[in-house]
Amino acid sequence: FVLFKRSWGENHGTENAHGRNKIDSYLQTDDTAKLTETLIKEMNEKKFNYVFLHFRDTDSAGHGQGWGSAKWQQALIDVDGYIGQVLAAVNKDPEFNGHTAIIITADHGGTGKGHGEAKKAEDYTIPVFVWGPGVESGADLYDLNKLTRSDPDTNRPDYNAEHQPIRNGGTANLALKLLGLGPIPGSLINAKQNLRTNFEDHTVVAPQ
């Protein structure tokens, strides 16, 4: 993820009224407990508008000991605890409580010690969770998006299929929508920002 700092930092970020550097705070570390602790401390001090947080624990355990192994299961428990700490920090701060949305997803699943077999549902099936104000409590995202998305079950539709699944690539434009911003220029996944998080959502976004 050093690519994030390199792409949107002071040297390579696109020049605009706010300068080149688009990242206020950046930390890359293998110590995810420290990562979580640092995030909570800084979010209370700096009141970030947007945060991208990546936990590597389950990926490292999956590649090292295997997906579903005892070490992977423990990594899953650890990450659940870190997410719980973040949720608790949001709920505790009146500036964040009721004004913060959290999107949780993954980049891949896994079988054995890898995830490279395109025909294995376990390798490409991932979770997408959304939590926060205006999000339908306990609802299934596919139930909320019956007109625009179709649950693929264990199938793997390509990007030209008539009925598209909910993809993790669509969460970027979902995050922008929740911030009241338009879609990423040139994006193709959820470019209409029509991934709904409640039954009343009519997808109103800021002007382009």
Side-chain angles (χ1 to χ4, degrees), residues 2-91:
V2 69
L3 286 174
F4 296 156
K5 181 64 173 173
R6 188 181 302 160
S7 299
W8 290 286
E10 59 275 8
N11 295 322
H12 302 291
T14 301
E15 187 70 64
N16 64 11
H18 302 288
R20 288 187 178 276
N21 192 4
K22 305 301 187 296
I23 301 176
D24 296 318
S25 181
Y26 175 86
L27 174 62
Q28 182 182 14
T29 175
D30 292 340
D31 186 343
T32 43
K34 177 184 177 182
L35 181 70
T36 307
E37 180 183 348
T38 301
L39 166 65
I40 292 172
K41 178 176 183 294
E42 290 198 354
M43 66 186 254
N44 289 329
E45 294 173 351
K46 301 178 181 179
K47 307 300 181 186
F48 297 126
N49 290 315
Y50 174 83
V51 170
F52 175 86
L53 179 64
H54 178 264
F55 296 115
R56 60 169 293 170
D57 305 57
T58 50
D59 186 67
S60 297
H63 284 297
Q65 302 295 320
W67 266 263
S69 65
K71 187 172 182 179
W72 183 88
Q73 295 283 354
Q74 183 58 54
L76 195 63
I77 293 171
D78 292 343
V79 170
D80 182 68
Y82 299 142
I83 293 173
Q85 291 177 44
V86 175
L87 289 170
V90 168
N91 285 326

Side-chain angles (χ1 to χ4, degrees), residues 81-126:
Y82 299 142
I83 293 173
Q85 291 177 44
V86 175
L87 289 170
V90 168
N91 285 326
K92 184 178 179 181
D93 191 317
E95 290 192 51
F96 290 129
N97 190 3
H99 305 282
T100 302
I102 294 178
I103 302 169
I104 300 174
T105 188
D107 56 344
H108 57 74
T111 51
K113 294 184 179 180
H115 48 80
E117 295 191 43
K119 293 184 178 180
K120 280 194 173 182
E122 296 91 339
D123 284 359
Y124 60 76
T125 303
I126 58 168

Side-chain angles (χ1 to χ4, degrees), residues 106-199:
D107 56 344
H108 57 74
T111 51
K113 294 184 179 180
H115 48 80
E117 295 191 43
K119 293 184 178 180
K120 280 194 173 182
E122 296 91 339
D123 284 359
Y124 60 76
T125 303
I126 58 168
V128 176
F129 297 106
V130 187
W131 174 92
V135 177
E136 200 78 33
S137 178
D140 188 307
L141 283 175
Y142 280 110
D143 290 338
L144 297 174
N145 293 276
K146 288 182 178 179
L147 298 179
T148 60
R149 307 296 194 283
S150 295
D151 187 342
D153 193 27
T154 58
N155 296 317
R156 187 173 180 262
D158 65 28
Y159 290 93
N160 296 315
E162 180 181 358
H163 301 291
Q164 287 291 301
I166 295 172
R167 299 184 184 275
N168 64 349
T171 59
N173 280 327
L174 172 60
L176 287 170
K177 172 187 168 183
L178 294 172
L179 288 167
L181 300 172
I184 300 165
S187 60
L188 300 175
I189 306 175
N190 194 27
K192 295 180 180 179
Q193 293 182 301
N194 60 358
L195 182 61
R196 298 170 56 166
T197 57
N198 60 64
F199 287 109

